[in-house]
Amino acid sequence: MLRHLKTLLLILLSLVFLLVVGVYVSLNLSLPKLSGEVQTSQISAKTSIGRDRLGTAVIHAENRQDAAFALGFAHGQDRFFQMDLLRRNSAGELAELFGKPAVKLDESRRFHQLRKRAEHIYRHLPTAQQQLLQRYADGVNRALTAQSLPSFEYLLTRAKREPWRPADSLLVIYSMYLDLQGNGPKRDLTLDHIERRFGPEMRSFITQTSNYQAALDNSLFPSDPPAIPSLSPSVSLKQSTASTLSQRLAVTIEEPIEVGSNNWAVTGKMTRTGSAMLSDDMHLSFAVPIIWYRAQLNYPDGEGKAVQVTGVSLPGAPAIVVGSNGKLAWGFTNAYIDTADWVALDKDEPLEVVHETIKLPKGEQDYTITLSRFGPVRRLGEQAYALAWVAHQEYAVNMELMALEQIDSVPEAMVKASGFGIPVQNLMLADDKGHAAWQLAGAVPARTNSSDIALPSEEIAWDKWQERDKVLPSLQDPTSDRLWSANARVMSTQEAERYGDGGYALGARSAQIRDRLLEQELFDESDFYRIQLDNQARFYRPWQAFLLESLMREPKRFVKDIVQLRDWQECACAESVGFTLVKAFRSQVLDSAFAPVEAELNSAQLSLSVLKRYLEPAIWQLLKQQPADWLPQDVASWDELVIASYVIARDELLDKYSEDGELSALNWGRVNTLAIQHPFSRQFPLLSRWLDMPKVAGFGDTFMPAVQRKSFGASQRFIVQPGYEERAIMAIPGGQSGHPLSKYYRAGFSEYARGAATPLLPGEIEAKLTLMPSQAQD
């Protein structure tokens, strides 16, 4: 019997060994070829792709179309699965890979019919742009045919790789629309429901102007608070599902992901070189691989002049999104102006029902969309709403951004910016002549009556909705020689009235960046990098003081808490326990105070989450005036509600992070640990060791320049003076390759994690692939 068990065990171990060897061999066979030569008939001249120690794709080509082919080839080698997810995300085709769990997300995407829009727009692009997208797609597909085996994601899912099509690059841009503007329509629908359910006074109270305003012209909206509204009898606290203290404390208003960025610039008067200087760090959700891809393109322009542009590209598109060409540098932050309107439809509005087919690994599912002349339709109760969104217009996506590669000056770039087919951005520009500028750039409707709530169909200027605004706000070389943007209002109050609010950030980040820039008269790259890493908790000062004052009323009960709060270091530092307590307290107080509104919104499948950043002035007004009708029915005072909110927030943290109940376990670096995961490891944690980036003690927060959450933050840190690129910085929280056996899978992550600066310019080439033109068909 024992001998049989040993034999069985030996066979089992042998099978495991063979399985491991098979997996390893398969993974190795799926590694792309980075050196040698590849023949192709789809380029006109010899083209090369080099890689340095970080995996930067350094491309040398004889023309821009061959450069597009080579960039597509490099993207296809290193990031095809990521590209596939981006196009499927916006097209609503993820369920074909992941099955029924992805159907709801696909339905939310099919609502916009972006696959049809992308294909239609591609057919009407200028011929030069069509050809460039086709060459890029050819490069992607040639890379796929050159691989011995598909990447491991396709081996695990047993899914088929579909070829890249030119219109798929437009779908990738649409994925950015969904990330950057997806909350705008939710915001307006939520405000519309608040006004209908609670009255216009509640909407005004929630959206009142903050004291945190940092426009470039220093203009201010009045910040006099409106009267605190009473809750109407129909939604009184006694009838609400959040009427008691325990019910209030159980309500959670999800923290919004502040998809956005920081950027700023100074003119040449504030640098030793005379060149202007630019900083840009774009804040996005993190995953493995990270969204950006390092690249340098070298090619002659139409007149034979050498072009060298270095920066980051978006896998799936042939453009350098953020970078420098030696004369001009550019970077973006999300502008958050109002780019969407809900239309409250009349009952006799003509509607059309169309059917979409959502494919599954086995079978398919039907999804119906109701369409109106204004856009797709959603119902809340008896009311039908149509969504008019700039992303639905024909001017929403194009490849005009690529013009920046060959532009030498800030003024010329500003002229081009209004034609960019991208989600509207704050474009920051700097050139080697010392000019710096801020320019609103991207797709903006020409309508002038933006609204926070749904409008009747007769008030929609539909002809203006279908036309783009071609004259956008800008500012070049201000008298202060400083420019900044961080997702809050940048433009003047007059311009802001015209362009509306699509979900502006509170303004604390903008104000802190502005103040840092005003502290100096001369800057270099290291000065800008310190601002990017600035985690001083200025915004939280009043919250720390308020919490400390509240706990001091019961010093014996909260003696340990008080010690940590006094030693909070006024920063979102990895070692600070006090910061963790202050941040959690603020969030819970907001949840507790606004729980009745949130409960009502939840009944309509809506949430205050998209408005939570707006609640700062309103919550302070409540805490100072302490209206009794906003209290739970079983609570006698606001002091009681405040203390209960702190205790529940602290105890939930202790339950999650502390084994012995000690506050010392709640240091911010542990609570906010940076954990960048591959999509597969989230479903299969055993794969985490091989697929994820190493976990790192976190620092930073939403309301300061150093933005970081557990899987969100600065997706790149870029600083450059055009003409002095050898001193420039480009730090990225992940490697170039999406293949876990590649040496470039984690290259550069450790430097980013410890705040070290990696260079923008590529280093010594260690692998080189040559693409040779041939007459044979690929």
Side-chain angles (χ1 to χ4, degrees), residues 294-306:
R294 294 173 179 266
Q296 182 186 82
L297 307 183
N298 298 272
Y299 62 92
D301 66 12
E303 297 177 357
K305 176 184 171 184

Side-chain angles (χ1 to χ4, degrees), residues 59-77:
I59 292 168
H60 288 268
E62 292 302 316
N63 55 69
R64 187 57 178 90
Q65 293 215 353
D66 284 356
F69 180 93
L71 185 60
F73 195 98
H75 285 166
Q77 286 186 306

Side-chain angles (χ1 to χ4, degrees), residues 258-536:
E258 293 233 10
V259 176
S261 309
N262 300 326
N263 64 18
W264 60 88
V266 296
T267 70
K269 294 178 182 179
M270 307 199 77
T271 68
R272 293 179 179 86
T273 65
S275 173
M277 185 159 60
L278 166 76
S279 172
D280 186 81
D281 52 290
M282 298 182 284
H283 308 150
L284 296 167
S285 295
F286 289 161
V288 178
I290 209 67
I291 191 166
W292 304 117
Y293 185 89
R294 294 173 179 266
Q296 182 186 82
L297 307 183
N298 298 272
Y299 62 92
D301 66 12
E303 297 177 357
K305 176 184 171 184
V307 175
Q308 181 182 89
V309 57
T310 313
V312 293
S313 57
L314 176 61
I320 299 297
V321 177
V322 165
S324 177
N325 64 17
K327 298 287 186 180
L328 175 77
W330 60 95
F332 297 100
T333 72
N334 202 30
Y336 280 112
I337 66 168
D338 187 7
T339 59
D341 286 330
W342 286 98
V343 185
L345 298 176
D346 297 331
K347 292 188 181 296
D348 59 353
E349 179 72 34
L351 301 176
E352 175 190 5
V353 176
V354 298
H355 295 267
E356 295 271 330
T357 300
I358 296 176
K359 293 182 180 180
L360 299 166
K362 293 182 179 179
E364 56 188 38
Q365 189 165 315
D366 186 62
Y367 174 63
T368 59
I369 309 170
T370 302
L371 300 177
S372 71
R373 59 188 165 126
F374 303 108
V377 176
R378 176 178 175 180
R379 288 188 176 274
L380 278 181
E382 296 299 314
Q383 180 62 55
Y385 297 90
L387 177 62
W389 183 23
V390 72
H392 296 161
Q393 306 309 312
E394 292 194 4
Y395 55 80
V397 292
N398 60 41
M399 302 310 298
E400 294 292 337
L401 171 66
M402 295 174 62
L404 292 176
E405 294 178 10
Q406 299 181 27
I407 289 177
D408 289 348
S409 70
V410 162
E412 187 182 353
M414 295 172 73
V415 172
K416 290 283 187 181
S418 62
F420 293 170
I422 58 173
V424 62
Q425 300 285 292
N426 296 304
L427 170 63
M428 200 67 71
L429 297 161
D431 69 24
D432 63 342
K433 303 169 191 68
H435 299 301
W438 161 78
Q439 168 76 63
L440 203 65
V444 179
R447 64 93 164 89
T448 57
N449 61 331
S450 65
S451 174
D452 283 344
I453 60 174
L455 293 172
S457 56
E458 58 269 19
E459 293 185 23
I460 296 295
W462 189 232
D463 57 333
K464 295 300 182 184
W465 247 111
Q466 298 172 86
E467 296 178 4
R468 75 178 302 152
D469 192 342
K470 296 179 181 178
V471 181
L472 301 177
S474 63
L475 178 62
Q476 180 184 330
D477 299 334
T479 55
S480 71
D481 293 305
R482 301 165 175 89
L483 295 157
W484 59 86
S485 81
N487 311 125
R489 177 174 64 89
V490 179
M491 62 187 71
S492 69
T493 53
Q494 183 178 2
E495 290 168 329
E497 291 281 3
R498 183 263 180 254
Y499 288 100
D501 182 352
Y504 279 136
L506 184 61
R509 270 188 293 126
S510 296
Q512 193 159 329
I513 291 167
R514 174 201 62 197
D515 294 347
R516 292 300 192 198
L517 291 174
L518 292 172
E519 291 173 358
Q520 291 181 228
E521 295 298 325
L522 201 63
F523 295 89
D524 61 20
E525 289 82 358
S526 62
D527 296 319
F528 271 24
Y529 205 42
R530 278 195 295 274
I531 299 175
Q532 287 190 352
L533 300 177
D534 178 16
N535 65 353
Q536 185 181 23

